Amino acid sequence: MAARETDNPQIRLASSGQLAVIEADKWVPGSFQLVVDGTPQSHVNLDDPTNLFFEYIQRIGHVIDEVRTPGAPITAVHLGAGALTLPRYIEATRPGSRQQVVELEQDLIDFVREHLPWSKRAAIRIRYGDAREVLGRLPKGLAGSVDLVIVDIFSGARTPAHVTSIEFYREAAALLAPDGILVINIADGPGLAFARGQAATVQEAVGHVAVLAEAQILKGRRFGNVVLIGSNTELPMHFIPRLLAGGPHPAKAVAGAELRQFFAGASVVTDETAVPSPTPAQTIFQVRSGN
């Protein structure tokens, strides 16, 4: 039964004990929001999977559009699933793509599959477990052949420490084809200490990085999402103007010398020094379920 036929279905997740709720979007017909532990995790338009709602998801969608030939199938690995917004987007915009999705909470995926089903034609393989552990169990044929790796891992409103280190990013980057793209969603607030450390760490891991976000966030004036784009080879910087033009606005990209200035003084994060992402104020991300 799809979510449109129910009234805010919910489940208490066995692993984390967090409450997951699916709420209908009152303003966009056919759309639903997955809220976990009071924090919006995903927004899905069942009628139009190409309709991306959250700002950072739209930015990642623009990156997806620039990978390889527009509309051509790609191989993608998603670390962190939510309601599979981006796997649905890839299937809709690049039919025939091969996708691996890693999610810790199997009952969350079962819940989403029941209430927000995705196309049965989609070549989406779900693997369960901690993202870092599952990386070591992915098919060996994926190593060095993946076009796109997306890291969007949150436990509630925070990214766990063990998926923020250079050791983790090196494992993720080992999947990439020589010109494959690593995309990472993080959240940070004024001062951007966490984001700057992540940028320095990804730069050390892969060698080539750009940062994309709403302008006021990159100026450190408010809490929000920052998208890191990395590659083992030179990034196709010609697509940066198109990423900015695609919005949401106002947008800003940081790369090259400006990027080095952005993370100047920040230390590379290791397994020994890693900490979770900062906790946002409840007024920023969290919602009261049912509203």
Side-chain angles (χ1 to χ4, degrees), residues 162-184:
H162 71 293
V163 291
T164 67
S165 68
I166 189 169
E167 292 88 349
F168 166 72
Y169 288 127
R170 282 174 173 159
E171 289 182 61
L175 293 172
L176 293 173
D179 57 350
I181 301 293
L182 175 66
V183 182
I184 303 155

Side-chain angles (χ1 to χ4, degrees), residues 188-194 196 219-221:
D188 201 4
L192 295 175
F194 181 78
R196 292 189 300 105
K219 291 178 181 178
R221 293 179 180 173

Side-chain angles (χ1 to χ4, degrees), residues 141-265:
L142 286 176
S145 68
V146 175
D147 300 307
L148 181 69
V149 175
I150 297 176
V151 182
D152 189 13
I153 303 172
F154 281 80
S155 177
R158 306 181 74 186
T159 299
H162 71 293
V163 291
T164 67
S165 68
I166 189 169
E167 292 88 349
F168 166 72
Y169 288 127
R170 282 174 173 159
E171 289 182 61
L175 293 172
L176 293 173
D179 57 350
I181 301 293
L182 175 66
V183 182
I184 303 155
N185 171 45
I186 62 174
D188 201 4
L192 295 175
F194 181 78
R196 292 189 300 105
Q198 289 297 281
T201 303
V202 177
Q203 172 89 357
E204 181 71 16
V206 300
H208 305 275
V209 175
V211 178
L212 188 64
E214 194 271 328
Q216 294 302 309
I217 294 172
L218 281 184
K219 291 178 181 178
R221 293 179 180 173
R222 69 176 183 86
F223 201 101
N225 293 88
V226 176
V227 175
L228 306 183
I229 309 166
S231 180
N232 291 312
T233 56
E234 194 74 33
L235 284 167
M237 297 306 293
H238 63 274
F239 72 32
I240 293 294
R242 292 197 291 269
L243 298 182
L244 295 176
H249 300 291
K252 181 175 175 59
V254 178
E258 189 178 5
L259 175 70
R260 291 189 290 275
Q261 183 179 8
F262 173 77
F263 64 69

Side-chain angles (χ1 to χ4, degrees), residues 21-250:
V21 182
I22 292 174
E23 302 176 349
D25 186 328
K26 295 182 290 186
W27 311 109
V28 184
S31 294
F32 300 86
Q33 182 167 259
L34 173 67
V35 179
V36 179
D37 196 31
T39 300
Q41 294 282 356
S42 302
H43 187 280
V44 173
N45 188 327
L46 295 183
D47 295 335
D48 180 9
T50 68
N51 177 237
L52 303 177
F53 182 76
F54 295 141
E55 285 192 2
Y56 81 91
I57 290 289
Q58 292 178 47
R59 299 188 200 285
I60 295 175
H62 298 326
V63 176
I64 293 170
D65 294 342
E66 298 295 331
V67 174
R68 304 286 186 241
T69 303
I74 60 173
T75 299
V77 173
H78 305 260
L79 303 180
L84 277 75
T85 303
L86 289 173
R88 298 171 199 258
Y89 180 80
I90 290 175
E91 171 59 24
T93 60
R94 296 174 174 270
S97 293
R98 297 185 305 142
Q99 303 189 70
Q100 302 269 340
V101 176
V102 179
E103 171 57 45
L104 179 64
E105 312 258 19
Q106 181 168 350
D107 48 353
L108 177 62
I109 294 297
D110 293 340
F111 177 63
V112 169
R113 193 194 304 269
E114 177 184 358
H115 297 287
L116 302 174
W118 54 89
S119 171
K120 294 181 179 180
R121 297 188 304 272
I124 299 174
R125 171 70 185 272
I126 310 292
R127 298 180 183 275
Y128 300 106
D130 178 85
R132 189 158 177 183
E133 294 178 4
V134 175
L135 274 177
R137 296 190 272 112
L138 291 174
K140 295 187 183 301
L142 286 176
S145 68
V146 175
D147 300 307
L148 181 69
V149 175
I150 297 176
V151 182
D152 189 13
I153 303 172
F154 281 80
S155 177
R158 306 181 74 186
T159 299
H162 71 293
V163 291
T164 67
S165 68
I166 189 169
E167 292 88 349
F168 166 72
Y169 288 127
R170 282 174 173 159
E171 289 182 61
L175 293 172
L176 293 173
D179 57 350
I181 301 293
L182 175 66
V183 182
I184 303 155
N185 171 45
I186 62 174
D188 201 4
L192 295 175
F194 181 78
R196 292 189 300 105
Q198 289 297 281
T201 303
V202 177
Q203 172 89 357
E204 181 71 16
V206 300
H208 305 275
V209 175
V211 178
L212 188 64
E214 194 271 328
Q216 294 302 309
I217 294 172
L218 281 184
K219 291 178 181 178
R221 293 179 180 173
R222 69 176 183 86
F223 201 101
N225 293 88
V226 176
V227 175
L228 306 183
I229 309 166
S231 180
N232 291 312
T233 56
E234 194 74 33
L235 284 167
M237 297 306 293
H238 63 274
F239 72 32
I240 293 294
R242 292 197 291 269
L243 298 182
L244 295 176
H249 300 291

